[in-house]
C-alpha cells in the first residue's frame, strides 16, 4: 500500500522564517515537531539577548543541537564552546550542560528520540511504617509549579527558574 498523509516525506517548517517571525525577546519553543506516529522529537528554541539555560543534565536522551541563528556559548564539563549558525553539538545523555546567548540572542534546533507518553499506573500496596520509622515527610503533594507550561517537562532542582528542555521561564507559584 502506498504511503499517505503523515508518512510521506515533506517540508515541515522554514526555521529561519520561524525565528524571523518571533519577537526578539521571545523565549522558549518557537516550533515543535508534532507529526503523529513520529519516533523523534524536535524543537526550535530561542533565548533572547543575554539569556541563559542554567546547568542541567538530561538523564535519558542524547540530544543534537543545531544553531540556527544568533550566537552564544555551550558550557559543558567547565569548558566554554562557542556557538554560531551552523554549529552542531552532540549532548550525550547524563552530561551536564548550560547555554548562554550573546547580545544577538540564540536560536537552535534540538532533535532527540521521542519520549514515551506518560502513563498512570496503580500505586503499589502500602507498606505500613514500623513504629520506629517516622511517617511524615516525602515529596510535596503537588508539583504543578515545576511543570513547564511550554513543553510539559517536570523541572529538576530545588527552585528551578528555567525548563532544562526548552528554556522556558518557570513562574514561582
Amino acid at each position: 500500500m502506498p504511503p499517505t498523509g503523515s508518512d510521506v516525506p515533506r517540508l515541515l517548517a522554514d526555521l529561519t522564517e520561524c525565528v524571523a517571525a518571533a519577537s526578539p525577546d521571545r523565549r522558549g519553543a518557537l516550533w515543535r515537531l508534532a507529526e503523529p506516529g513520529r519516533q523523534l522529537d524536535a524543537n526550535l528554541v530561542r533565548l533572547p539577548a543575554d539569556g541563559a539555560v542554567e546547568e542541567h543534565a538530561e538523564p535519558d536522551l542524547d540530544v543534537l543541537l543545531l544553531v540556527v541563528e544568533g550566537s552564544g556559548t555551550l558550557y559543558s564539563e567547565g569548558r566554554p564552546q562557542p556557538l554560531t549558525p551552523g554549529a552542531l553539538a552532540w549532548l550525550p545523555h547524563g552530561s551536564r550542560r548550560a547555554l548562554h546567548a550573546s547580545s544577538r540572542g540564540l536560536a537552535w534546533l534540538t532533535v532527540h528520540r521521542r519520549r514515551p507518553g506518560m502513563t498512570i499506573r496503580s500505586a503499589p500496596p502500602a507498606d505500613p511504617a514500623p513504629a520506629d520509622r517516622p511517617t511524615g515527610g516525602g515529596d510535596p503533594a503537588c508539583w504543578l509549579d515545576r511543570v513547564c507550561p511550554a513543553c510539559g517537562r517536570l523541572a529538576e532542582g530545588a527552585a528551578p527558574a528555567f525548563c532544562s528542555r526548552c528554556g522556558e521561564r518557570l513562574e514561582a507559584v
Side-chain angles (χ1 to χ4, degrees):
M1 180 162 73
T4 60
S6 65
D7 56 352
V8 296
R10 67 191 174 289
L11 181 65
L12 294 174
D14 180 330
L15 301 182
T16 303
E17 182 60 33
C18 289
V19 173
S23 166
D25 59 342
R26 179 154 176 213
R27 175 189 187 99
L30 303 179
W31 174 86
R32 290 187 181 93
L33 182 62
E35 303 307 294
R38 69 190 185 277
Q39 295 177 353
L40 293 175
D41 272 335
N43 299 287
L44 176 62
V45 183
R46 178 170 193 172
L47 279 177
D50 302 313
V53 174
E54 299 305 322
E55 185 178 83
H56 65 283
E58 166 50 62
D60 303 319
L61 301 173
D62 294 341
V63 177
L64 283 176
L65 180 150
L66 174 66
V67 177
V68 175
E69 183 179 281
S71 62
T73 305
L74 166 66
Y75 294 92
S76 179
E77 306 300 322
R79 294 188 341 238
Q81 300 175 56
L83 297 174
T84 56
L88 179 64
W90 176 55
L91 309 173
H93 70 280
S95 66
R96 301 210 52 84
R97 73 290 295 257
L99 292 168
H100 292 250
S102 72
S103 60
R104 296 175 43 214
L106 180 65
W108 67 92
L109 178 71
T110 61
V111 180
H112 55 82
R113 183 175 37 93
R114 187 173 184 196
R115 291 178 186 279
M118 293 179 66
T119 59
I120 298 174
R121 299 183 198 137
S122 298
D127 178 23
D132 62 338
R133 189 174 82 199
T135 59
D139 291 334
C142 181
W143 283 13
L144 287 177
D145 61 323
R146 297 179 64 184
V147 175
C148 176
C151 72
R153 180 180 181 92
L154 182 63
E156 300 173 14
F162 298 100
C163 176
S164 63
R165 177 186 291 158
C166 72
E168 185 79 14
R169 179 178 287 282
L170 300 174
E171 300 297 326
V173 176

